[in-house]
Amino acid sequence: MSTDIFISGGGVAGLTAACLFGSQGFNVTCVDPAPPITERDADGADLRSTAFLQPAIPVLEMAGVWHKLSPHAMPLQTMRIVDAGGEAAEPRATRDFNASDISELPFGWNLPNWLIRRELVARLAELSNVEFLLGTACTKIFTRSATAKLWLSDGTTRSAQLVIAADGRNSLIRESMGIDVKTTRYGQKALAFAVTHPIPHNNVSTEIHRTGGPFTLVPLPDHDGQPSSAIVWMEKGPEAARLCALSENAFNQEMSERSCHLFGPLTLASKRTLWPIISQIAERFSAERVALIAEAAHVAPPIGAQGLNMSLTDLSELLELARLHPLGSKAMLDAYDKKRRLAVKARVMGIDLLNRTSMSQTAWIRDLRSAGIGAIHDAAPIRKSLMKLGLGAR
Ligand SMILES: Cc1cc2nc3c(=O)[nH]c(=O)nc-3n(C[C@H](O)[C@H](O)[C@H](O)COP(=O)(O)OP(=O)(O)OC[C@H]3O[C@@H](n4cnc5c(N)ncnc54)[C@H](O)[C@@H]3O)c2cc1C
């Protein structure tokens, strides 16, 4: 059976790709061995949240999903950076970056990942030109200049003009095409979970730096009538494992301290999930008939809500190039590699640097970080440029 576009991987990026290209009239097949989990309290639910930044919204609109997602989204008007890296675990430098400085819109809109999956799957059900095969893996790929052939775990095959590898950081498609990656390991893990708190977040996303990595609260809609936030708490691996194993009461106490009590006592409102943190970038973002997107191409620590947002830019570039060139042609894929790889590399390097300064145990680096936050914020042109850069400007 032949299709225009074959997407290997139905994580958030692969599902979005299927909605986008399906909505734009392409015939699409998307496969994933693991069915998406679309309920918050189900085992294995993805309890991370994604802050979709402004440039992501037109992509989600073209995918026909933004109207489904927006009623559940929490706007992010202000990013608050707090340095608590002094002797005591308390704020010693706090600066607010307000979206109104550079735009009439909020920086972005935050949504839980399990809910994003639910709405993407609902959108796919509306698209008769998208074949979505759950419980099916892509096991082998063979390409020629005119087409690609894919072997599936259900014993069938597909041929496609363009293969989108959205099969994650250990991408089989990437390895099969002989593309190497450069990986940086930090020995760090992120705990991701939801909390409630008595003090409202007022649409402020708060990133608190001390040691081990950032502790970030991102606004969610109220939960059980209480203000709620999604938290990503990064620490060295053994410390993250210790925190994950604590009783709920002990965990509530430790995370309230780590949050410098800025929102009053925090109460765990979901399971805790652990995510290994690495930086990784593929040596090429394309090969014959193949485009790598999302974590198959690039992985970065979760700082500044960049990961999936970069992936949506991968998709919008691919769509634009598919309109300019024959689908899956060498011209299209060379242009994709050229446009995306260097832009993504610069961003991943920037996030790597921020992560290293946030992890630091060294007093003078922590002091420098604290002074740096103030200096960047207080110089208006630098502040505005950095805010625009964070939103995706080049
Ligand atoms: C703690 C944390 C917080 C984050 N917060 C943000 C944020 O606020 N904003 C943001 O933009 N980004 C954020 N990110 C990054 C974002 O979550 C990721 O970029 C995104 O989830 C990665 O999606 P993906 O689809 O590439 O990979 P995955 O979710 O890993 O999906 C890959 C899929 O491929 C499937 N697969 C594997 N092998 C095969 C095969 N052989 N055949 C077919 N399918 C296969 C897998 O089953 C899986 O479903 C965060 C990341 C972390 C760790």
Side-chain angles (χ1 to χ4, degrees):
M1 208 168 114
S2 91
T3 183
D4 296 331
I5 301 178
F6 180 90
I7 301 170
S8 184
V12 181
L15 291 174
T16 310
C19 290
L20 178 68
F21 286 96
S23 299
Q24 297 302 309
F26 293 90
N27 289 324
V28 175
T29 295
C30 176
V31 303
D32 195 305
I37 298 169
T38 54
E39 282 167 36
R40 182 182 184 278
D41 297 320
D43 278 346
D46 185 347
L47 298 174
R48 295 173 297 176
S49 69
T50 296
F52 286 117
L53 302 175
Q54 283 180 19
I57 307 309
V59 184
L60 296 170
E61 280 170 348
M62 283 191 287
V65 284
W66 182 236
H67 68 284
K68 291 179 187 289
L69 293 172
S70 56
H72 308 285
M74 229 28 218
L76 301 181
Q77 185 59 35
T78 303
M79 308 266 224
R80 180 166 296 154
I81 312 273
V82 178
D83 186 89
E87 288 290 305
E90 56 191 39
R92 58 176 180 166
T94 300
R95 292 290 188 280
D96 281 1
F97 295 79
N98 196 310
S100 63
D101 244 14
I102 54 165
S103 165
E104 285 173 1
L105 295 171
F107 286 116
W109 293 264
N110 195 44
L111 287 138
N113 282 14
W114 63 266
L115 188 146
I116 298 171
R117 281 189 167 83
R118 186 184 76 191
E119 299 306 323
L120 289 168
V121 170
R123 173 62 184 148
L124 286 182
E126 297 169 356
L127 294 167
S128 58
N129 52 333
V130 178
E131 178 191 36
F132 181 35
L133 301 177
L134 293 172
T136 306
C138 173
T139 53
K140 189 175 151 194
I141 177 170
F142 178 76
T143 66
R144 288 179 189 281
S145 58
T147 186
K149 185 169 176 188
L150 296 309
W151 280 259
L152 307 186
S153 59
D154 63 5
T156 62
T157 58
R158 297 289 181 280
S159 60
Q161 298 297 299
L162 171 65
V163 176
I164 297 183
D167 48 353
R169 53 182 71 181
N170 301 316
S171 170
L172 175 119
I173 300 275
R174 187 188 65 222
E175 282 173 18
S176 307
M177 300 311 290
I179 301 175
D180 276 345
V181 288
K182 184 166 183 283
T183 308
T184 306
R185 298 182 195 284
Y186 305 97
Q188 226 179 355
K189 288 209 164 119
L191 285 131
F193 50 92
V195 295
T196 55
H197 39 82
I199 300 176
H201 48 60
N202 294 327
N203 299 349
V204 178
S205 164
T206 305
E207 202 169 281
I208 305 164
H209 299 265
R210 184 161 168 74
T211 58
F215 180 101
T216 308
L217 299 103
V218 191
L220 287 176
D222 286 0
H223 179 70
D224 287 344
Q226 288 242 60
S228 178
S229 295
I231 292 188
V232 173
W233 182 358
M234 285 160 65
E235 289 286 357
K236 285 282 188 187
E239 174 63 358
R242 182 189 73 80
L243 290 165
C244 214
L246 285 177
S247 71
E248 218 166 295
N249 276 345
F251 185 73
N252 285 344
Q253 217 165 355
E254 289 220 20
M255 73 166 150
S256 299
E257 266 168 46
R258 182 64 180 79
S259 71
C260 302
H261 303 281
L262 293 175
F263 296 88
L266 303 179
T267 306
L268 191 62
S270 73
K271 293 173 187 160
R272 286 162 269 185
T273 52
L274 261 187
W275 301 88
I277 301 302
I278 58 167
S279 284
Q280 183 167 282
I281 185 144
E283 272 183 359
R284 277 187 61 79
F285 279 20
S286 67
E288 190 173 59
R289 294 280 152 196
V290 172
L292 308 185
I293 67 156
E295 293 209 340
H298 47 79
V299 186
I303 298 179
Q306 297 293 313
L308 189 61
N309 282 281
M310 287 196 283
S311 313
L312 296 193
T313 311
D314 298 344
L315 289 176
S316 63
E317 295 281 9
L318 269 183
L319 180 61
E320 202 179 308
L321 291 165
R323 288 177 176 145
L324 293 174
H325 301 279
L327 187 65
S329 62
K330 186 169 181 327
M332 175 187 169
L333 291 166
D334 284 352
Y336 172 69
D337 174 63
K338 196 168 167 203
K339 279 189 117 171
R340 282 310 285 151
R341 192 162 36 88
L342 288 183
V344 167
K345 193 172 176 187
R347 213 158 269 268
V348 171
M349 282 164 69
I351 299 168
D352 169 84
L353 184 67
L354 289 175
N355 188 36
R356 287 178 195 279
T357 56
S358 184
M359 284 172 78
S360 183
Q361 304 276 355
T362 313
W364 71 264
I365 295 181
R366 287 154 62 179
D367 291 346
L368 196 65
R369 178 181 74 205
S370 182
I373 293 169
I376 285 169
H377 176 273
D378 299 344
I382 298 178
R383 179 178 74 237
K384 289 182 189 180
S385 300
L386 275 177
M387 285 157 78
K388 287 182 189 154
L389 194 67
L391 283 188
R394 278 165 228 158

